[in-house]
Amino acid sequence: MKARNPAFLAALVLILLLGFAAGAAQLNADAIWTDELYSLANIGAFDPPYSPAQIIDSLARYSPQHTPLYYFISAIWAQLAGWSQFSMRMLSLFAGSLFIAWLYRLCADLFGRGVGATGACLAATSAFLLVSFHEIRMYSLMLALAAMHTVCYWKLAYGRARGRGAALCFVMTAAALLYTHMFSTITLAALSLHHLLFALRRKHGWRIVAGWLAAGGLFLPYVPVVYAGFLEETTKPSTTSAAFAAPDLLSTLATLLGNGSLWICALLGLLLLWRLWHRQSRVALRWAAFALLALALALVFNQQFRLIGLYRSRYLLILWLPMLPLFAYAISAGAKPLFALACLLLWGAVGWGFQWSDDFPIDFNDYVSGMIFASRYPNLQHAVTGLRDHVQEHETIVGFTGADYINSDRKHGFSAADYYTQAQLGIDGVFIPERLSGEPLLSALDEKIANHPFLVFVHEPYNLPENLNETRDAIAVDYRACAVLVDSDRLFAQRYINSALDCDHARQEIKYENGIRIVDRFVHRDAANDRLRILTGWEVPSDDLLALYNVSWQVITADGRNMAQQDRHLDAELLKWHETELSTKGMADGDYRVFVIVYERQTMQKASGFDETSGQTADMVPIYEFSIER
């Protein structure tokens, strides 16, 4: 087949588009899961942008088992494309498309363009592989770099690649692999063993070894961090107890490699043996040896360190690189086009059935662990997109979820809900389990919305939660319904405000000289019960200030006497919205004012604040006036 055959080139383009489309179809289909949240937190999604030094520090603290290259690239990409799950997942889709292209190049160099096209088609329709194309994780990047490095190696060891450019590409792709994921060492170790067995005595054999040593030298600075993380992961009882035994690992690998069918993998294996026996291809035998070495290393590694279990089957993706070329060789090497096409159609149909079967969400989630939780709550990206131009920074989203897991704080102290509301909209958000009812529902609402006076109530009209009306009625006890912000087939959103306020309430801010800010405040007097309810919303720019300052609310008479007071530390436990109650019981008739004061904890020196409502600057800012007449 000619290199510039238009039909062949068109087929390659269609294969790449097929893989890209299959990955792109899932970019916004499901909510992020735990590991994706960790990726986002490690690159500064909640405090952007993170510098490389901050990323390394975050990884060393929270995810020391991971290496930083993917995170560096993701942080740069986020600054260019934004923080939505769609844009952040695009990076993996691009890397996955690169893997398909480089897999074609590898198979074509090894066995010819027909096998190359078959290998690319297998990758573009591999159901388990395609999951990595729409995850905010490093696995598709790892595969793309592994394919690039293997192409470089094969050209240096068996081809005619020469010069500094080829050597530099070889070294840099090896180093990049190490900096992407520790399981890439399986590819590098298998290539090294293969090299020692088959290619060390060739013309440039020792130069290749020197290239790997150079790549290892480039990785040395990060070895202490990843080694500590590796020890931590491989000594966790929860990890080691769930690890595969060798037969289970082989069975799972065969099922996933067979596009969801153990029988497809077995049939392709038998067809491969037949091809190897009848064609006696030295190149194919060399590649089969490399694949067996990679598989053996994975088995030995897991037997020794007990790291790969059912929930971590994604680690097995590194074996797609050696195995898919063998499947492609079995299908199309010397075969008639119709036979190869029939095999590819069967492969694709089995994978399609696996992906869209009723059992797939359950069985598949077994392979990827935390995704099972993501399937139980709605895709909040739709709500984020719909609300982007409607919400304000002082508001709190109240929505619904199929599992309270979405509200659970993870390693960095952030939840999946925080990613959608804080990282993308810059506001708070909580989500109520859709089956809660009665007293548990009231308790959950009291806990989650606390003293937040400004709510945006959201739900999906096509997927109404069971407790929608009950939740709306419970909110209406303390909140006033205001404007409907969005009313579409996919999203309904309505603004609510504390019942002590009007819907057209204007915010009243106080800015202090030290950077502390009261974003809004209001006071409600309950004359019947002789009390004042004070609600203040706070923003503190740094943790250092939390340890330096206290806040005081005081009721002062017209002649300056202090009649009631409440103080507290301005510490990490301070809510964004804090409610204070002061008693007016026993106060004499007269005029009174309520002041808020921010002062240094040690020196008692008051901070000066500027009240944007009154235009007044003072170290005791008045926020309310009232009179008592018995």
Side-chain angles (χ1 to χ4, degrees):
M1 186 174 292
K2 294 182 179 180
R4 295 186 180 180
N5 186 310
F8 183 76
L9 292 176
L12 290 179
V13 170
L14 287 175
I15 291 171
L16 285 171
L17 289 175
L18 173 64
F20 188 89
Q26 301 299 315
L27 287 178
N28 232 13
D30 54 348
I32 63 164
W33 63 294
T34 303
D35 283 12
E36 290 183 290
L37 179 65
Y38 293 158
S39 294
L40 291 161
N42 279 321
I43 63 175
F46 299 95
D47 187 24
Y50 267 12
S51 66
Q54 288 174 303
I55 290 173
I56 290 175
D57 180 68
S58 180
L59 288 173
R61 181 178 179 184
Y62 297 107
S63 304
Q65 75 275 21
H66 289 300
T67 46
L69 180 61
Y70 170 80
Y71 299 93
F72 290 164
I73 298 172
S74 294
I76 296 171
W77 174 253
Q79 294 181 56
L80 297 173
W83 291 98
S84 72
Q85 69 179 37
F86 182 89
S87 61
M88 292 307 301
R89 286 170 170 169
M90 281 294 294
L91 193 62
S92 292
L93 179 58
F94 291 149
S97 299
L98 278 177
F99 172 65
I100 295 174
W102 278 95
L103 185 68
Y104 160 75
R105 181 72 272 161
L106 176 62
C107 293
D109 287 348
L110 291 171
F111 309 119
R113 295 185 183 88
V115 177
T118 301
C121 192
L122 291 174
T125 52
S126 173
F128 190 63
L129 173 61
L130 286 171
V131 173
S132 69
F133 285 26
H134 78 281
E135 282 191 302
I136 309 173
R137 301 296 284 165
M138 68 295 295
Y139 300 107
S140 61
L141 177 62
M142 175 184 70
L143 287 170
L145 289 169
M148 292 170 65
H149 180 71
T150 306
V151 168
C152 290
Y153 167 76
W154 223 263
K155 286 183 177 294
L156 287 171
Y158 299 109
R160 297 181 179 179
R162 300 291 183 268
R164 295 180 180 178
L168 180 63
C169 182
F170 176 79
V171 173
M172 296 308 295
T173 51
L177 262 177
L178 292 171
Y179 274 106
T180 300
H181 198 281
M182 64 181 181
F183 264 80
S184 63
T185 54
I186 289 179
T187 294
L188 295 174
L191 283 175
S192 299
L193 289 175
H194 171 93
H195 187 70
L196 291 175
L197 292 172
F198 300 106
L200 182 61
R201 295 184 180 181
R202 297 177 69 87
K203 185 175 181 181
H204 298 286
W206 286 105
R207 291 185 182 181
I208 291 174
V209 174
W212 278 322
L213 292 175
L218 292 174
F219 186 65
L220 276 178
Y222 206 79
V223 167
V225 176
V226 76
Y227 180 68
F230 176 77
L231 289 181
E232 178 182 333
E233 287 297 308
T234 54
T235 54
K236 285 182 180 178
S238 59
T239 299
T240 56
S241 62
F244 281 133
D248 294 328
L249 187 150
L250 288 172
S251 175
T252 300
L253 175 64
T255 299
L256 297 176
L257 265 176
N259 227 8
S261 171
L262 184 64
W263 292 107
I264 291 295
C265 188
L267 290 173
L268 288 175
L270 292 173
L271 182 58
L272 172 64
L273 291 175
W274 187 85
R275 293 278 188 221
L276 292 173
W277 177 263
H278 283 272
R279 293 183 64 83
Q280 296 292 310
S281 168
R282 182 177 297 180
V283 174
L285 290 172
R286 285 174 180 167
W287 187 263
F290 163 61
L292 288 174
L293 287 169
L295 176 59
L297 286 170
L299 289 168
V300 171
F301 174 88
N302 199 52
Q303 184 65 34
Q304 180 66 33
F305 298 109
R306 311 293 295 163
L307 190 59
I308 309 174
L310 185 62
Y311 289 166
R312 292 184 170 181
S313 298
R314 58 191 179 275
Y315 291 165
L316 297 174
L317 280 171
I318 195 63
L319 296 176
W320 262 241
L321 174 70
M323 297 301 178
L324 287 184
L326 289 178
F327 286 176
Y329 179 79
I331 290 171
S332 59
K336 294 182 179 181
L338 286 179
F339 175 79
L341 179 61
C343 289
L344 289 174
L345 289 174
L346 176 62
W347 165 276
V350 169
W352 179 269
F354 174 53
Q355 185 172 4
W356 296 105
S357 67
D358 292 337
D359 293 334
F360 180 80
I362 298 174
D363 293 343
F364 183 72
N365 279 315
D366 284 343
Y367 298 125
V368 292
S369 184
M371 275 189 177
I372 194 169
F373 296 104
S375 67
R376 293 176 182 168
Y377 54 82
N379 185 354
L380 303 180
Q381 192 62 52
H382 301 314
V384 169
T385 303
L387 291 172
R388 194 177 301 281
D389 297 326
H390 298 283
V391 295
Q392 303 175 42
E393 63 178 349
H394 58 280
E395 293 178 318
T396 297
I397 291 177
V398 178
F400 296 89
T401 175
D404 201 32
Y405 176 84
I406 189 176
N407 298 306
S408 301
D409 291 343
R410 312 310 293 171
K411 287 182 181 178
H412 295 75
F414 296 104
S415 66
D418 293 333
Y419 162 66
Y420 291 102
T421 59
Q422 291 185 23
Q424 296 190 61
L425 292 175
I427 64 175
D428 289 337
V430 295
F431 295 86
I432 307 299
E434 58 190 20
R435 290 194 173 95
L436 277 186
S437 182
E439 184 59 34
L441 172 62
L442 297 178
S443 298
L445 283 172
D446 183 60
E447 174 189 353
K448 293 180 185 300
I449 65 177
N451 304 308
H452 293 263
F454 307 101
L455 306 181
V456 177
F457 185 66
V458 301
H459 66 268
E460 297 170 329
Y462 62 89
N463 183 30
L464 295 178
E466 297 176 13
N467 56 357
L468 173 64
N469 293 329
E470 188 178 0
T471 303
R472 183 189 286 116
D473 292 343
I475 290 176
V477 172
D478 296 313
Y479 292 85
R480 186 191 313 275
C482 296
V484 174
L485 302 177
V486 182
D487 189 2
S488 68
D489 293 339
R490 304 195 70 179
L491 180 68
F492 177 87
Q494 185 172 15
R495 182 170 280 136
Y496 280 74
I497 195 167
N498 187 282
S499 55
L501 302 175
D502 295 326
C503 287
D504 58 356
H505 168 76
R507 294 173 61 190
Q508 303 179 68
E509 298 187 24
I510 302 174
K511 295 182 178 178
Y512 289 90
E513 59 186 357
N514 52 22
I516 294 172
R517 185 164 74 106
I518 295 180
V519 298
D520 198 6
R521 85 286 178 140
F522 67 87
V523 182
H524 176 253
R525 182 182 173 216
D526 183 355
N529 294 300
D530 284 321
R531 65 180 181 180
L532 296 170
R533 178 170 174 259
I534 307 169
L535 202 59
T536 47
W538 295 83
E539 286 189 1
V540 183
S542 71
D543 290 342
D544 294 339
L545 295 177
L546 293 173
L548 289 177
Y549 288 92
N550 286 359
V551 59
S552 178
W553 297 268
Q554 300 180 11
V555 178
I556 307 293
T557 63
D559 58 1
R561 289 179 293 122
N562 187 331
M563 302 302 295
Q565 178 175 337
Q566 185 177 119
D567 290 55
R568 64 164 297 151
H569 295 317
L570 191 66
D571 55 25
E573 298 302 318
L574 181 66
L575 298 174
K576 181 175 181 178
W577 288 96
H578 180 69
E579 181 178 357
T580 306
E581 285 194 0
L582 295 177
S583 174
T584 59
K585 188 174 183 179
M587 292 185 185
D589 291 356
D591 297 327
Y592 298 87
R593 288 198 295 176
V594 179
F595 291 84
V596 62
I597 303 164
V598 174
Y599 63 93
E600 286 193 39
R601 191 173 300 174
Q602 299 299 325
T603 67
M604 306 296 290
Q605 182 177 352
K606 300 181 182 69
S608 178
F610 173 70
D611 185 351
E612 293 194 345
T613 302
S614 66
Q616 176 183 359
T617 299
D619 55 13
M620 294 179 60
V621 181
I623 59 174
Y624 186 69
E625 297 181 2
F626 68 99
S627 299
I628 294 180
E629 295 180 1
R630 304 291 182 182

